[in-house]
Amino acid sequence: MSDFANLTNVRDTLTLANGVEIPCVGYGTWQTPNGGVTRDCVKAALGAGYRHIDTAYIYGNEAEVGEGLRASGVRREDVFVTTKHWVTERGYEKTLAAVDTSLRLLGLDYVDLYLVHWPCVAKCTERWKELNAETWRGFEAAYKAGKLRAVGVSNYEAKHIEALWETAEVKPMVNQLEFHPGYTQIENVKWMQQNGLLVEAWSPLGSGAVLKNETLAAVAAKYNKTVAQLCVRFALQMKVLPLPKSTNPARIAANADVFDFEISPEDMAAVAALPQTGFSGFSPEDAPADAIA
Ligand code: A2P
């Protein structure tokens, strides 16, 4: 399947620019702890039907993501696994090593998607373009070596993508952004979509901060759905791939149950118009110093 029309469950796929198929809802693991929690949650998500797991080196839980995958009994080739390169590993050689470290921690010989976690930006160093380009060259080498089935970025704005294009041989296929009612970055999202990048949503539930919003509660009630389900559905109808996360098995399953209703155009407009709510405070230019160093 190549677009967001007619999706019927979380296993249905979208097609990336290089032809790789990506299941339309992913299970997110940011802030999901170790000690067995991540392992059990990943297993629960796969048991609930998810076939797409999103992690990152900096989450510190790649090893347990791999354990959960193996414990689930689902075949490796049937699961789409994303992880992300951390900001301390910029540059060509360090990026190649970072790929191998993540693969070792995950216990995998390839990942389906590898993302640059944050761009290096101008206020960090005047060499920001070169540093991003060198990192990307490492992505391209690992992609060509078959360690990465697809490559992309996260938290990029148009200017960062345009700078990358100046030297990229392989264009980024995905940009993962904070996206939820109350913080849609709509201009950034549209630019990415118009330029062939699939947009993924981190914190599609606003990290829980939008779940008590009265406007959203009223809209969700019309469809006999929870606000969390409304948020996941809202992302899909905006042609954005949501990565909801929960550590509760019932909520993990409920967050995938979003294919039996359609939000009307009027309600989509009302949800999209929500004033800023639940913004994480992270943006590429104002990210914490260690995220742009
Ligand atoms: P919990 O793990 O206790 O379910 P996001 O995906 O936007 O980052 O949001 C994650 C937050 O939303 C977590 O705090 C999670 O808590 C909470 N959450 C996830 N799904 C639901 C749900 N269906 N109902 C209520 N809270 C939820």
Side-chain angles (χ1 to χ4, degrees):
M1 204 169 288
S2 59
D3 61 30
F4 283 82
N6 307 316
L7 296 171
T8 62
N9 64 69
V10 286
R11 297 174 204 222
D12 279 347
T13 59
L14 305 162
T15 309
L16 298 178
N18 67 343
V20 164
E21 302 275 311
I22 179 169
C24 67
V25 176
Y27 173 68
T29 63
W30 179 36
Q31 294 173 328
T32 308
N34 285 314
V37 178
T38 297
R39 180 197 60 217
D40 292 349
C41 286
V42 166
K43 189 177 168 205
L46 293 167
Y50 291 78
R51 289 294 177 271
H52 176 171
I53 309 291
D54 182 275
T55 184
Y57 175 76
I58 196 64
Y59 301 170
N61 58 17
E62 287 170 307
E64 284 206 20
V65 166
E67 284 176 32
L69 190 54
R70 286 182 288 282
S72 72
V74 179
R75 291 188 308 174
R76 163 68 186 101
E77 58 270 35
D78 292 336
V79 184
F80 190 98
V81 179
T82 299
T83 193
K84 310 183 193 84
H85 166 277
W86 189 237
V87 299
T88 49
E89 308 309 308
R90 289 183 176 129
Y92 180 74
E93 296 292 344
K94 283 170 93 178
T95 294
L96 293 182
V99 170
D100 288 342
T101 298
S102 283
L103 291 177
R104 180 174 51 73
L105 288 167
L106 284 158
L108 300 177
D109 51 16
Y110 68 91
V111 289
D112 298 277
L113 176 62
Y114 195 53
L115 303 178
V116 179
H117 209 136
W118 289 95
C120 186
V121 299
K123 86 177 184 189
C124 147
T125 163
E126 60 187 23
R127 289 188 58 248
W128 67 277
K129 266 195 200 187
E130 289 104 298
L131 257 180
N132 288 334
E134 280 300 287
T135 301
W136 192 251
R137 213 159 58 77
F139 272 58
E140 290 174 329
Y143 175 69
K144 287 176 190 164
K147 295 179 182 182
L148 316 173
R149 292 182 66 228
V151 284
V153 296
S154 185
N155 303 302
Y156 269 49
E157 295 169 354
K159 60 176 180 263
H160 307 122
I161 301 274
E162 282 173 333
L164 203 60
W165 280 345
E166 289 175 19
T167 53
E169 277 180 50
V170 179
K171 286 186 172 181
M173 298 145 197
V174 169
N175 189 6
Q176 186 180 120
L177 299 170
E178 179 174 359
F179 175 94
H180 52 79
Y183 194 73
T184 60
Q185 310 193 48
I186 196 63
E187 292 309 320
N188 202 18
V189 166
K190 280 190 182 155
W191 189 94
M192 298 300 151
Q193 292 173 333
Q194 282 159 5
N195 284 281
L197 287 102
L198 175 73
V199 178
E200 297 183 338
W202 61 263
S203 287
L205 318 178
S207 287
V210 303
L211 298 178
K212 291 202 162 46
N213 181 274
E214 287 178 10
T215 305
L216 298 181
V219 175
K222 281 195 199 178
Y223 300 93
N224 209 12
K225 287 286 176 180
T226 65
V227 173
Q229 289 166 329
L230 179 78
C231 292
V232 174
R233 182 77 205 177
F234 171 70
L236 289 172
Q237 289 187 217
M238 294 294 287
K239 302 188 188 308
V240 171
L241 188 158
L243 302 166
K245 58 183 183 286
S246 173
T247 48
N248 174 304
R251 293 199 279 271
I252 290 173
N255 293 346
D257 179 18
V258 298
F259 296 92
D260 59 352
F261 75 114
E262 173 140 5
I263 308 168
S264 71
E266 300 73 38
D267 288 334
M268 283 296 289
V271 173
L274 206 71
Q276 184 167 306
T277 312
F279 172 46
S280 66
F282 293 117
S283 66
E285 298 290 339
D286 298 308
D290 75 327
I292 54 173

